[in-house]
Amino acid sequence: MSSEQITAAASGSWQLGDLTVNRVGLGAMRLAQHGQALTADAVPMDRARAIAVLRRAVELGVNHIDTAAFYFSPLRSANELINHALAPYPDNLVIATKVGPARDSSGEWLPPATPGQLRGQVEENLRQLGRDHLDVVNLRVTGPGSIAEHFGALAELREAGLIRHLGLSAVGPDQLAEAQAIAPVVCVQNSYGIGVRPGQDDFVRACGEQGVAFVPFFAIAAAGREAGASGADSDAVLHVARELGVSAAQVRLAWTLHRGPHVLAIPGTGDPDHLVANVAAGALRLPAEHLAALDAAHKVA
C-alpha cells in the first residue's frame, strides 16, 4: 500500500473523554506561515495551500486538530483557516485549542492571561472557529507553581457549556494532580520526542496509567522547535530510517506512538507531501532491535 492510501486510522485510536480520535492528528501552528512560527515578522503561508492541507488531512482520516488563537502571522490565522477549510465541521472532528499565552495584533507577546482573562480567550477561539463550544481546551502553563486559580476558571467555563473537555500543556506531575482535583483532565501536551526531555519518560507512563492522553509537541522538530526540523538527526534515527526505507521524521513519529497507546501525535506541517508522510507513519511498526537503538539514543541525549 502506498503512503497516499494509508489513513490516520492505521495509527489506532484513543478516547479524549467521550471523543474518539485517531492517534495521528495535525498541529496547526505551521499553517499560518513559512519557516519560523510565532514571530511578528513571519512570512504568511499561501492561503490556498494551507486550506488544501487541512482538507487533505480530513480526507486522510485525521480527526484531531490542535490549534490556538495565538497561531497567526501577518494575513493568516490558523483558526480562521480551519474554519474556512472545514466548516461545517464533520461530526467526528475534534478541535483542541490552547489558552494562557497571548499576542497583540502585531504579533508581539503579551503577559500570560490572568484567570479573569481566560474567558475572553475562550470566546475568541469560539469566534474564530465559528463554534458554540470548544471540544478540548488546554491550559498552557508558563512555569512551576500552582495552577488552581487558572484551571478553576476553565472548569467554570466547562460547567457553563463553553468547553467540553479540559487538558494541560507544559506541566509536571504535581500540576496534573492539582488540576485533576478540580476537574477531569483528558490530555497533557508537553514537548517530547527522541532525545527531547528524556526525563519525561516516567510522566508519560504515569499519564497512561491514569487514562490521560499524552500529546507531545515538537516530536519531529525536536531542538528546532518553532523553526521546524533542523535535519540534525542522531545516527540511530538515520540508521533506522535507512533500514526501513522511510524518512527520519517518520521514524520519530513512529517511535513517539510506540511509547504507549495513550500517546497521540500532532505533527504540524503546511506541506501536503509531508502531511501524507506523517499520516503514513502511523502505520509504521518498529522492530524490537530498532526500538532498542532509538530508546538508547533517546536516553543519552
Side-chain angles (χ1 to χ4, degrees), residues 29-50 72-78 81 270:
M29 185 179 71
R30 306 211 178 277
L31 292 175
Q33 72 292 304
H34 293 286
Q36 180 88 17
L38 307 182
T39 62
D41 59 351
V43 178
M45 174 71 74
D46 178 78
R47 180 176 173 80
R49 181 182 176 94
F72 66 87
S73 67
L75 305 180
R76 301 286 177 263
S77 155
L81 290 166

Side-chain angles (χ1 to χ4, degrees), residues 79-91:
N79 280 354
E80 186 277 330
L81 290 166
I82 292 168
N83 187 344
H84 183 85
L86 302 178
Y89 298 107
D91 291 340

Side-chain angles (χ1 to χ4, degrees), residues 16-230:
L16 291 175
D18 62 346
L19 303 172
T20 303
V21 296
N22 291 325
R23 293 179 62 215
V24 172
L26 174 67
M29 185 179 71
R30 306 211 178 277
L31 292 175
Q33 72 292 304
H34 293 286
Q36 180 88 17
L38 307 182
T39 62
D41 59 351
V43 178
M45 174 71 74
D46 178 78
R47 180 176 173 80
R49 181 182 176 94
I51 289 171
V53 167
L54 284 161
R55 290 176 175 167
R56 181 61 174 143
V58 171
E59 289 174 359
L60 289 170
V62 170
N63 59 2
H64 176 207
I65 296 177
D66 176 77
T67 187
F70 54 86
Y71 287 174
F72 66 87
S73 67
L75 305 180
R76 301 286 177 263
S77 155
N79 280 354
E80 186 277 330
L81 290 166
I82 292 168
N83 187 344
H84 183 85
L86 302 178
Y89 298 107
D91 291 340
N92 70 336
L93 180 64
V94 174
I95 300 176
T97 190
K98 288 171 288 297
V99 295
R103 300 166 69 198
D104 65 22
S105 59
S106 69
E108 297 295 339
W109 288 102
L110 297 169
T114 65
Q117 292 172 326
L118 290 177
R119 184 184 183 107
Q121 290 193 348
V122 166
E123 290 178 344
E124 181 63 10
N125 276 279
L126 288 168
R127 184 191 69 79
Q128 292 178 2
L129 291 166
R131 304 290 297 269
D132 61 6
H133 74 280
L134 298 173
D135 297 323
V136 181
V137 173
N138 292 298
L139 174 64
R140 173 64 67 84
V141 178
T142 57
S146 175
I147 61 172
E149 195 174 356
H150 285 78
F151 194 76
L154 291 182
E156 291 178 3
L157 297 179
R158 175 176 172 268
E159 290 297 320
L162 297 183
I163 300 171
R164 192 162 181 172
H165 297 296
L166 297 173
L168 298 168
S169 180
V171 296
D174 291 346
Q175 291 168 319
L176 172 59
E178 183 180 35
Q180 286 176 313
I182 297 170
V185 176
V186 300
C187 59
V188 166
Q189 284 191 356
N190 281 5
S191 177
Y192 184 71
I194 297 176
V196 179
R197 303 184 72 192
Q200 291 267 294
D201 290 351
D202 288 343
F203 189 32
V204 173
R205 286 190 290 270
C207 285
E209 291 166 358
Q210 297 172 48
V212 175
F214 190 88
V215 189
F217 54 88
F218 298 142
I220 293 178
R225 297 180 61 82
E226 290 86 354
S230 65

Side-chain angles (χ1 to χ4, degrees), residues 223-241:
R225 297 180 61 82
E226 290 86 354
S230 65
D233 284 292
S234 68
D235 290 343
V237 171
L238 296 174
H239 173 74
V240 171

